[in-house]
């Protein structure tokens, strides 16, 4: 799929045999899953045809690129995590009723090309996209229960698919220790998963014939081979035609892709010019992946598994034709006592040669269990072209640095993330990259929360921005969607047991302490961080005698996606930072 920056819609594209790319016109104007609020797995294809989830959450099907698509579901449920089952002329999917409401429900289902619906499994709170063996006789999936999130603890299931398409011989496969298991994949009759029970998301082979269901580890680097599964149907590993594997992993925040086994006597790194890899799959004897890099637009990569040769099949154009972008400089904050992995990040300097930055902008990534990656980001380049330095920081709690680093944020949100942003600013000043006179902090969603907490307790910041950020965790706990309904208790502890902590880490209750100017951006249709969060925060600051600036977008949800709105947001933020820059 490819997104349209003007409308924010996603369209299905195809590559013909000559390598030319074109959009499919027989599918709805926008393809998007809304399962869990973040979607994923909204499209799949097989030799029998193509399935997709329309923006209004109907599964549609077309046998080829010229046939008009037909709607298979009209039941007002959301669908995602699509996996084709051509042996039975159907598609497997995660079905969600209630659209994220507290009484919502998920099921693992099969939808036939005739529109028939079969419930394969239910009773778990949440489901991942399933995996089907090549002979379509075995299936595997991951589930999890509230209050857990899928990067904290999940459960692995397998079953045999009977002749009538229902499941039998269901089995649970507990990991040796507490684990987030994700991305089950069959290679022949072998089942592989990525599990972090040994400290990192690494590949494990399960012996399904063994009575003890033994877990076998292979020799790979101690690095995360996946990121936090916010969306369904992520794919960071893939068996190759003729044997062997393609696997992505993260080293110092940068993605690498490696081929191993099969024709390769030792692991071979491919596509080193790219720094993040998603959606690994095979077709026609080739490996395909979405590749992202610091100086190109996202690309569809075609990789020869035998020669390890790489070509760009689609996309991958220079991000700034005729101009060099600001490239990421990796930095690592000095470790403190007993800190095994200190915070790390990427610094982007102004594009003007030898120019001292007008200011440093600290960008806090969202999630908070997510990460910043060294890939082309037009929002970062916007600032570098205007004389600013930008630092994206992977604070404790980010993914890509192992289970212990990721889970360090438990009950410490609004604490160690705030510390780590300040540590990054201190380090960059001490290293001579910036002068420390003008430092701004901004963040989206949970990153907006961290920015507001930092502004309420640290006078170093000249100003800050909250882009649809959390301002009242307790109120959000009552109103947020089902997927994240237990997340806040993990981040801050149970409010009944820790009421003072919740008060101390609520930006709305700290509004009077914010001496620096703050600008807010909010979408009216936001179902994740509900608009009331921003509305009440702004009103509270005004009552405290402050003058917050608010920009409201009636036609946006959790994220400012439409091009015109992005332009308006950047222009407003640029003017805001200019007004609050102190003269050097």
């Amino acid at each position: 799929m490819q997104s349209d920056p003007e409308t924010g819609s996603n369209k299905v594209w195809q590559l013909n045999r000559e390598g030319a790319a074109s959009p499919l016109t027989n599918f709805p104007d926008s393809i998007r899953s809304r399962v869990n609020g973040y979607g994923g797995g909204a499209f799949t294809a097989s030799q029998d045809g193509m399935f997709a989830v329309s923006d209004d959450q109907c599964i549609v099907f077309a046998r080829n690129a010229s046939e008009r698509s037909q709607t298979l579901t009209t039941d007002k449920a959301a669908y995602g995590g699509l996996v084709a089952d051509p042996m039975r002329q159907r598609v497997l999917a995660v079905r969600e009723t209630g659209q994220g409401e507290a009484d919502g429900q998920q099921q693992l289902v099969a939808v036939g090309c005739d529109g028939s619906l079969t419930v394969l499994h239910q009773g778990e709170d949440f489901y991942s996209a399933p995996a089907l063996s090549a002979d379509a006789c075995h299936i595997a999936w991951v589930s999890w229960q509230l209050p857990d999130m899928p990067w904290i603890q999940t459960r692995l299931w397998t079953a045999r698919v009977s002749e009538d398409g229902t499941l039998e011989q269901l089995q649970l496969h507990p990991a040796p220790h507490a684990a987030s298991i994700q991305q089950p994949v069959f290679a022949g009759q072998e089942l592989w998963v990525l599990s972090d029970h040994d400290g990192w998301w690494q590949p494990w082979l399960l012996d399904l014939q063994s009575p003890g269901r033994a877990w076998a580890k292979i020799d790979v680097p101690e690095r995360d081979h996946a990121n936090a599964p916010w969306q369904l149907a992520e794919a960071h590993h893939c068996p190759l035609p003729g044997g062997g594997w393609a696997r992505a992993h993260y080293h110092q925040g940068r993605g690498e892709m490696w081929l191993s086994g099969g024709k390769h006597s030792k692991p071979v790194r491919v596509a080193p010019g790219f720094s993040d890899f998603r959606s690994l799959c095979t077709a026609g004897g080739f490996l395909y992946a979405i590749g992202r890099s610091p100086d190109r637009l996202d690309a569809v990569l075609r990789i020869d598994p035998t020669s390890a040769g790489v070509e760009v099949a689609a996309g991958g154009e220079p991000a700034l034709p005729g101009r060099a972008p600001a490239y990421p400089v990796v930095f690592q904050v000095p470790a403190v006592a007993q800190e095994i992995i200190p915070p790390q990040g990427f610094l982007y300097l102004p594009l003007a040669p030898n120019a001292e930055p007008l200011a440093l902008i600290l960008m806090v990534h969202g999630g908070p269990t997510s990460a910043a990656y060294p890939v082309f980001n037009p929002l970062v380049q916007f600032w570098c072209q205007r004389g600013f330095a930008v630092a994206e920081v992977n604070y404790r709690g980010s993914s890509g640095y192992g289970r212990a680093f990721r889970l360090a944020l438990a009950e410490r949100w609004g604490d160690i993330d705030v510390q780590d942003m300040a540590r990054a600013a201190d380090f960059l000043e001490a290293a001579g990259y910036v002068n420390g006179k003008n430092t701004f902090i901004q963040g989206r969603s949970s990153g907006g929360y961290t920015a507001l907490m930092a502004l309420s307790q640290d006078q170093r910041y000249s100003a800050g921005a909250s882009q649809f950020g959390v301002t009242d965790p307790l109120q959000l706990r009552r109103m947020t969607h089902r997927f994240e309904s237990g997340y806040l208790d993990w981040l801050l502890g149970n409010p009944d047991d820790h009421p003072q902590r919740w008060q101390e880490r609520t930006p709305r209750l700290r509004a009077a302490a914010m001496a620096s100017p703050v600008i807010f951006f909010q979408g009216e249709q936001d179902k994740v961080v509900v608009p009331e969060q921003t509305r009440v925060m702004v009103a509270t600051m005004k009552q405290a005698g402050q003058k917050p600036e608010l920009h409201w977008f009636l036609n946006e949800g959790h994220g400012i996606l439409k091009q015109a709105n992005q332009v308006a947001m950047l222009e407003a933020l640029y003017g805001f930072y200019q007004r609050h820059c102190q003269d050097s």
Side-chain angles (χ1 to χ4, degrees), residues 320 324-331 346-361 377 379-392 427-429 431-435:
L320 299 173
Y327 283 90
V329 177
V330 179
F331 69 89
F346 305 101
L347 175 68
Y348 298 81
L349 293 169
L351 286 169
N354 304 315
E356 183 175 273
L358 295 173
L360 170 66
I361 300 175
N377 181 345
L379 303 181
V380 169
Q381 300 298 324
F382 175 88
W383 296 112
C384 294
Q385 290 174 355
R386 287 157 178 80
F388 292 78
V390 176
E392 295 188 297
F427 169 76
L428 294 173
E429 182 181 356
Y433 287 111
V434 295
N435 61 24

Side-chain angles (χ1 to χ4, degrees), residues 356-483:
E356 183 175 273
L358 295 173
L360 170 66
I361 300 175
L362 294 174
M363 283 192 176
V364 192
H365 68 69
T369 310
S370 185
Y373 302 99
V375 299
F376 178 76
N377 181 345
L379 303 181
V380 169
Q381 300 298 324
F382 175 88
W383 296 112
C384 294
Q385 290 174 355
R386 287 157 178 80
F388 292 78
V390 176
E392 295 188 297
V393 182
N394 283 324
Y395 49 82
R396 283 169 288 175
S398 303
S399 63
Y401 300 86
R403 182 176 176 88
F405 189 90
R406 187 173 72 250
L407 300 191
L409 199 59
E411 300 192 12
R412 299 197 66 184
W413 190 38
D415 175 15
I416 62 172
D417 49 330
V418 173
Q419 292 179 31
D420 290 351
M421 299 306 293
R423 290 169 65 190
D426 288 340
F427 169 76
L428 294 173
E429 182 181 356
Y433 287 111
V434 295
N435 61 24
K437 190 163 188 177
N438 291 302
T439 302
F440 301 115
I441 186 167
Q442 66 181 61
R444 298 173 165 230
S445 191
S446 72
Y449 168 86
T450 300
L452 291 171
M453 286 297 297
L455 289 163
S456 73
Q457 55 190 281
D458 195 332
Q459 302 302 311
R460 80 173 67 223
Y461 300 109
S462 303
S466 169
Q467 296 159 307
F468 40 95
V470 177
T471 69
D472 189 332
L474 189 59
Q475 186 66 14
L476 183 66
R477 185 178 185 264
R478 300 188 187 106
M479 301 178 68
T480 194
H481 62 161
R482 181 169 168 267
F483 177 65

Side-chain angles (χ1 to χ4, degrees), residues 259-304:
L259 308 183
S260 61
K263 304 284 186 180
H264 304 286
S265 59
K266 60 181 181 178
V268 175
R269 185 180 176 186
V270 296
F274 292 83
S275 49
D276 194 24
F277 301 91
R278 311 287 174 102
S279 303
L280 277 63
C281 64
T282 58
F286 288 93
L287 168 69
Y288 290 86
I290 302 297
R292 304 164 72 199
S293 83
D295 55 8
R296 300 188 189 197
L297 301 181
D298 292 0
V300 177
L301 304 180
R302 181 190 292 119
I303 302 165
D304 186 323

Side-chain angles (χ1 to χ4, degrees), residues 76-123:
K76 297 183 179 179
Y79 289 88
L82 303 187
V83 173
D85 183 1
M87 297 283 287
R88 300 173 183 86
Q89 296 185 336
R90 65 183 188 176
V91 65
L92 311 181
V94 177
R95 177 176 183 263
E96 181 178 61
T97 57
Q99 292 290 285
E101 299 297 328
D103 59 350
Q105 185 182 43
Q106 287 193 2
Q107 302 164 318
L108 196 62
V109 302
V111 177
C113 293
D114 58 358
S116 60
L117 188 146
T118 303
V119 176
L120 301 177
H121 197 267
Q122 59 185 339

Side-chain angles (χ1 to χ4, degrees), residues 220-262:
V220 295
E222 286 195 335
R223 295 170 185 168
D224 274 345
H225 285 67
N227 48 31
W230 281 93
Q231 294 185 305
L232 302 175
E234 296 272 17
H236 290 87
H237 64 155
C238 178
L240 297 173
W245 281 84
R247 295 187 174 101
H249 68 229
Y250 293 92
H251 178 52
Q252 292 185 334
R254 179 186 172 91
E256 300 176 358
M257 180 138 69
W258 293 77
L259 308 183
S260 61

